[in-house]
Amino acid sequence: MRRATAHLAPVVPLLTELGELFAAQGHELALVGGPVRDAFLGRTSPDLDFTTSATPDQTLAILKPWSDAHWDIGREFGTIGARRDEHTVEVTSYRADAYDGQTRKPVVAFGDNLEDDLVRRDFTVNAMAMRLPSMEFVDPYAGLADLAAKRLRTPGAPEVSFGDDPLRMMRACRFAAQLGVDVAPEVREAMTAMAPSIEIVSAERVRDELTKLLLAPEPRAGLRLLVDSGLADHVLPELPALKLEVDEHHRHKDVYEHSLTVLDQAIALEGPADGPESSVPGPDLVLRLAALLHDIGKPATRRFEDGGGVSFHHHEMVGAKLTSKRLKALRFDKDTGKAVSRLVELHLRFHGYGDGAWTDSAVRRYVNDAGPLLQRLHRLTRSDSTTRNTRKAALLSQTYDALEVRIEALMAAEELAKVRPELNGNEIADVLGIKPGPVLGRAYAHLLEVRLDRGMVGREAAEQELRDWWVTQPESATQPESVPQLDSSPQPEPQSEPEPADQ
C-alpha cells in the first residue's frame, strides 16, 4: 500500500480535492479499476477513473466549475468526463447493470454502494478501489492477492460475468498478454464453453481488443489463450487453421508455432518508441499483424509431392487475399489492411535472391514494390527464418545483409525511394504528340519499366526509347479520347518466388 500510494503521489492533491468536493455535497467518491491496479504494478495510467454515489447530473454540477473542460457523451451510462490541466478524469455513477444476452448493450441501472459496483467489473484485479479523500483501500474480492499471484479471476461467477458481457473473454486474452497473468481454471472453462457468444459483440470492439493484445509487450500468451479457448475460431479463424496436422513423415514444421515465433522475432527487431521512422518504432501494429498472418495462405495451398516433400506454392498470394478479407471484416482501416496485405504478399520475394544473383533491376523492383513498407519488409523477412540449423540461419542473415547493402548503395546513387520515369506525363505527351489518356498511361508505364531495368539513362536516351516503343503501338497513327492525365506510376505486377525449403 505504501508503494502504491507513493506511486500515486503526483496526483494525490487532485484525488484529495475531488474527494472533498464530492463529500461536501454528501456523495461518496472512489478511484477505481485500472489506475488502482497500475499503482500496485508501479505503472502510470493515462486517465483516472472514478465511481460515485452521485447521479450523473450531480456529478456534472460538481465537475463543471472545477474543470477546464467537461463532456457528458457517456451520460446514458452514468459517465461524466472532465479535464483539468494535464489530467483527464471520468466519473461514473455506481452501476448495477443487467444485459439482455443478445447484444453487448447494458440495461443501465444505478446502484447505491461501492461493493455492488465492484462486483459487476470484469476481473478482480480491476475491482479494487480507493475511497476518497481518505485513501482507504477497498478490495472485497481479493484482487490484490490475485495480482500478486498473477492470476485472473472474475469477482462473481465467470459464466455470469461473460454472459453479461462476452467481450470480457477477449479482455482476458489481452490481460494475459499485457500483465503476464494466468487465467484461473474456472475462467478458462467458462471462456471455452461460451466462446461462440463473442459473435454478438461488434467487430469494432473485437478489433480494439485484438489490437491492444497485439501491441502488448509479449502477445504470444494472449494469442495462445485466444486459440486454446476457441475464441479465435470466431474472431480470427485463420490463426487456429495454421495448426496443420503434421504428417507422419514430418515434412513441414508446425506453421502455428512458426508464426508465433516469427511474431516474437519481429517484435525484437522493432526500434525504440521514440526512434526514427526508419527504425520501425515499436509497438508497430502493421508489422505485428503481418508477422502473425504471413503464412495464413498455407492451409489452402499445402500439397504433398510424389518425392516425399510438401509444397505451399503461391501461399503468399492466397495469404494476402485472406488477410485483406479478414482485416476488412474486423473493420480495420483501409491503410492498415492494404499495408499488412502487401507485406504478406511480399514476404517471400527475398528468397529469389539466392546467392546474390539479382541484377540491379531486380533490386530496384524489390524496393519499388515495397515502397514505404521497405523497413517493415526487412524486419518481416529476417523474422521469417526460424530454422534450428544455425549454419543455414547464419547464411540467410548474411545474404539479407548483402541485399540491404546493395539497396542502400542503389538508393544513395539513384534515389530509389523517389523512382519515377525520366520524363513526366506532360513531357511524354509532347514527345509523342498525344493527348492525356490511356495510351499516355501505357507510355508512362513503359518508361518506368526502362527506369527499373536500366536505371538513369538520360533524357535523350529516354526520349528515343519512348519513340521506339511508340512505333510498335497500334494507336500511333490515331489520337485517343481525352481523359485525366496520370500523375503517378502504376504498381508493377508482383512476381511469386519459389518456396524456400525451410520456410
Side-chain angles (χ1 to χ4, degrees):
M1 269 303 301
R2 284 195 298 270
R3 287 197 298 271
T5 303
H7 191 77
L8 288 170
V11 294
V12 165
L14 180 145
L15 300 180
T16 301
E17 181 181 4
L18 277 175
E20 291 174 346
L21 286 173
F22 275 79
Q25 298 298 318
H27 307 301
E28 297 177 359
L29 183 72
L31 183 68
V32 70
V36 179
R37 179 199 69 218
D38 287 346
F40 284 107
L41 293 173
R43 307 191 320 183
T44 300
S45 291
D47 300 325
L48 298 173
D49 297 326
F50 300 85
T51 186
T52 180
S53 60
T55 67
D57 288 340
Q58 292 167 334
T59 297
L60 183 59
I62 295 171
L63 292 180
K64 189 173 182 180
W66 171 85
S67 62
D68 300 325
H70 63 277
W71 52 93
D72 64 353
I73 57 175
R75 181 196 288 262
E76 179 185 356
F77 301 105
T79 300
I80 303 297
R83 183 177 64 252
R84 181 171 178 176
D85 299 328
E86 74 276 17
H87 300 296
T88 298
V89 304
E90 286 195 343
V91 182
T92 303
S93 300
Y94 290 158
R95 293 271 291 274
D97 295 341
Y99 292 77
D100 61 14
Q102 301 300 316
T103 70
R104 232 201 113 254
K105 294 182 178 179
V107 178
V108 178
F110 297 129
D112 58 10
N113 67 85
L114 178 58
E115 286 71 17
D116 286 351
D117 178 86
L118 294 177
V119 76
R120 59 166 285 277
R121 296 181 179 268
D122 52 5
F123 301 104
T124 59
V125 296
N126 293 329
M128 301 182 289
M130 287 185 177
R131 293 187 187 275
L132 303 173
S134 65
M135 300 294 286
E136 173 195 352
F137 180 54
V138 181
D139 184 19
Y141 305 104
L144 185 56
D146 286 339
L147 192 62
K150 291 186 175 295
R151 178 175 55 231
L152 200 64
R153 293 189 305 115
T154 53
E159 297 82 3
V160 174
S161 180
F162 298 152
D164 285 347
D165 183 359
L167 188 66
R168 290 173 174 173
M169 296 185 289
M170 289 286 296
R171 287 202 195 108
C173 300
R174 189 237 299 181
F175 287 133
Q178 286 182 333
L179 305 178
V181 295
D182 293 322
V183 296
E186 69 274 14
V187 173
R188 185 182 292 268
E189 290 174 8
M191 290 174 63
T192 302
M194 303 178 69
S197 66
I198 194 65
E199 293 187 4
I200 71 172
V201 180
S202 71
E204 290 82 1
R205 298 300 300 278
V206 169
R207 174 204 63 206
D208 291 347
E209 286 297 330
L210 180 62
T211 296
K212 292 174 184 176
L213 190 166
L214 285 172
L215 295 181
E218 298 180 1
R220 179 189 281 252
L223 292 168
R224 282 197 182 282
L225 180 57
L226 193 73
V227 171
D228 294 346
S229 66
L231 282 168
D233 292 333
H234 303 279
V235 301
L236 192 63
E238 294 80 6
L239 185 57
L242 292 176
K243 285 190 168 186
L244 295 174
E245 180 181 353
V246 178
D247 64 286
E248 60 180 340
H249 300 294
H250 293 272
R251 287 174 288 185
H252 64 86
K253 64 179 68 176
D254 186 322
V255 183
Y256 170 69
E257 292 295 335
H258 164 75
S259 297
L260 294 181
T261 300
V262 171
L263 174 60
D264 289 341
Q265 294 182 166
I267 291 172
L269 293 177
E270 290 175 338
D274 58 352
E277 186 176 352
S278 60
S279 71
V280 187
D284 187 87
L285 181 61
V286 168
L287 175 61
R288 295 186 182 200
L289 280 168
L292 182 65
L293 303 177
H294 75 286
D295 272 347
I296 64 172
K298 280 191 170 181
T301 57
R302 182 174 65 161
R303 300 289 184 272
F304 293 114
E305 307 293 348
D306 292 340
V310 64
S311 66
F312 302 95
H313 292 309
H314 305 299
H315 79 264
E316 74 281 14
M317 306 300 293
V318 173
K321 293 179 180 178
L322 291 174
T323 296
S324 178
K325 183 178 179 180
R326 176 53 51 194
L327 297 186
K328 183 177 181 180
L330 286 171
R331 304 292 192 270
F332 278 92
D333 63 273
K334 290 183 179 179
D335 288 343
T336 297
K338 289 174 62 176
V340 176
S341 299
R342 187 65 166 160
L343 286 172
V344 172
E345 180 182 333
L346 294 174
H347 82 272
L348 283 185
R349 184 71 65 85
F350 157 72
H351 295 285
Y353 189 67
D355 59 359
W358 273 5
T359 62
D360 283 352
S361 170
V363 175
R364 291 188 195 101
R365 290 178 185 278
Y366 188 77
V367 174
N368 187 69
D369 288 355
L373 298 171
L374 181 63
Q375 293 302 324
R376 290 186 177 99
L377 182 58
H378 286 337
R379 285 155 178 79
L380 176 60
T381 302
R382 289 183 179 277
S383 302
D384 197 23
S385 174
T386 61
T387 177
R388 296 180 181 178
N389 184 321
T390 54
R391 180 177 175 276
K392 184 178 291 186
L395 180 60
L396 282 169
S397 179
Q398 291 168 7
T399 304
Y400 204 85
D401 287 343
L403 175 58
E404 285 202 51
V405 169
R406 287 187 66 186
I407 288 173
E408 290 176 6
L410 280 172
M411 290 185 78
E414 303 183 14
E415 293 189 279
L416 286 187
K418 302 177 182 178
V419 64
R420 294 288 186 274
E422 291 183 71
L423 303 178
N424 63 32
N426 292 330
E427 292 167 333
I428 292 172
D430 289 342
V431 170
L432 300 182
I434 61 175
K435 297 178 180 179
V439 176
L440 190 146
R442 297 210 318 268
Y444 187 98
H446 175 72
L447 283 189
L448 177 61
E449 291 294 310
V450 173
R451 173 76 169 82
L452 291 170
D453 283 338
R454 295 162 53 188
M456 299 288 286
V457 298
R459 182 183 180 88
E460 184 176 338
E463 290 182 357
Q464 186 58 52
E465 180 66 39
L466 185 61
R467 294 188 183 95
D468 292 343
W469 170 85
W470 178 237
V471 299
T472 69
Q473 302 305 301
E475 300 91 344
S476 60
T478 63
Q479 293 294 326
E481 294 182 7
S482 179
V483 298
Q485 180 173 324
L486 298 178
D487 59 4
S488 62
S489 62
Q491 290 291 330
E493 287 293 321
Q495 299 178 2
S496 300
E497 299 293 346
E499 171 77 6
D502 202 48
Q503 291 297 317

